[in-house]
Amino acid sequence: MTSVSGCQGGGWTMAMKINGRSSTFKYSSSYWTNKNTHNDDAYGRNGGLDNREYKESSYWRTSFKEICVGMKYGGRLRAFSFSYKASSLYNLIADGNHRHIHVGRAQWKSLISGSSLQRNCNREGFNLRGDSTLSKFKVTVKVRLGIIANQQNDCSTPDSYVGLGAEGGWNYPVDSNWCQPPDKSLNSAGNLAQCSPDNGNKNTKAMAYILVR
């Protein structure tokens, strides 16, 4: 496709489309670490910014200098682009290593109107997760691309995010030591916020898009 509102210029190549209500592209999905396509047919390739999940071979075959991230919620698409040079998205994501970017908390929040995040941590980039190695905290949030946040002044146990390829945060133990999400349902793309976020608890599931150029 040529252009996306919010991402300057044309010449963008669609790599993935992710439905936040589906588990297809959650953080632990093998689609992030393999070279398999998903719905890569004529309809998928020509569907534009539709609501059908999709992964194209451009995920591992296309080098780029810029990335466009978009989210559609409530019928409205919001997107932004940033500079990042890589040989492919696969080479950025598949090894699981965190790679930092800085576009800013406000930019990530702008993808969904009324979004909410905790006030601290604010870790951005690829392959985001908390610092704690304790097994009981494996249920905290993880995101393949986006921003994660925490109520404590560290990144040990983040509970909120705006991003895609997400998992965790919604399946906490029912225990007074754990805050509880607004609803206990998976969200693989969108906004999850709990534990004293800045704009109330959220579990907003969006249709998300990754394009490269």
Side-chain angles (χ1 to χ4, degrees):
M1 60 191 309
T2 57
S3 63
V4 179
S5 178
C7 296
Q8 293 185 353
W12 293 102
T13 297
M14 181 70 73
M16 299 180 77
K17 307 176 192 179
I18 301 167
N19 185 340
R21 297 183 178 277
S22 168
S23 64
T24 307
F25 294 114
K26 65 182 181 179
Y27 188 93
S28 61
S29 168
S30 61
Y31 278 115
W32 295 105
T33 57
N34 67 29
K35 295 183 178 181
N36 297 333
T37 61
H38 181 72
N39 287 334
D40 187 17
D41 51 24
Y43 181 86
R45 289 189 291 273
N46 299 316
L49 298 165
D50 64 5
N51 297 329
R52 187 175 188 239
E53 290 195 303
Y54 175 70
K55 178 188 173 188
E56 211 252 13
S57 60
S58 59
Y59 181 76
W60 66 89
R61 288 181 173 167
T62 302
S63 61
F64 54 84
K65 295 180 179 178
E66 294 176 277
I67 297 175
C68 172
V69 180
M71 288 194 182
K72 184 166 59 177
Y73 176 72
R76 180 172 180 181
L77 174 71
R78 298 167 183 253
F80 66 83
S81 60
F82 59 93
S83 297
Y84 201 104
K85 186 177 181 180
S87 57
S88 70
L89 285 168
Y90 174 86
N91 286 339
L92 279 180
I93 295 173
D95 63 7
N97 292 330
H98 172 234
R99 291 176 172 86
H100 177 73
I101 62 173
H102 181 71
V103 299
R105 174 187 174 96
Q107 188 76 279
W108 288 108
K109 291 188 71 179
S110 74
L111 289 173
I112 297 178
S113 178
S115 60
S116 185
L117 285 171
Q118 294 159 292
R119 291 167 174 80
N120 301 310
C121 179
N122 296 309
R123 178 174 289 167
E124 303 175 57
F126 302 91
N127 296 322
L128 304 171
R129 51 193 177 272
D131 294 332
S132 177
T133 58
L134 296 177
S135 60
K136 69 177 181 178
F137 292 127
K138 288 183 178 179
V139 294
T140 57
V141 300
K142 296 173 280 292
V143 178
R144 290 295 182 178
L145 175 58
I147 183 171
I148 59 174
N150 196 19
Q151 83 271 34
Q152 291 98 356
N153 194 24
D154 56 44
C155 289
S156 293
T157 56
D159 311 289
S160 60
Y161 62 79
V162 175
L164 47 88
E167 193 169 352
W170 55 271
N171 53 345
Y172 286 176
V174 179
D175 184 307
S176 60
N177 293 317
W178 292 80
C179 58
Q180 296 301 311
D183 70 81
K184 286 180 174 281
S185 60
L186 177 141
N187 183 347
S188 61
N191 176 212
L192 179 69
Q194 57 193 327
C195 305
S196 304
D198 62 2
N199 193 33
N201 290 348
K202 307 283 182 180
N203 193 0
T204 304
K205 303 168 182 70
M207 192 72 200
Y209 309 90
I210 310 176
L211 304 94
V212 296
R213 180 173 66 186

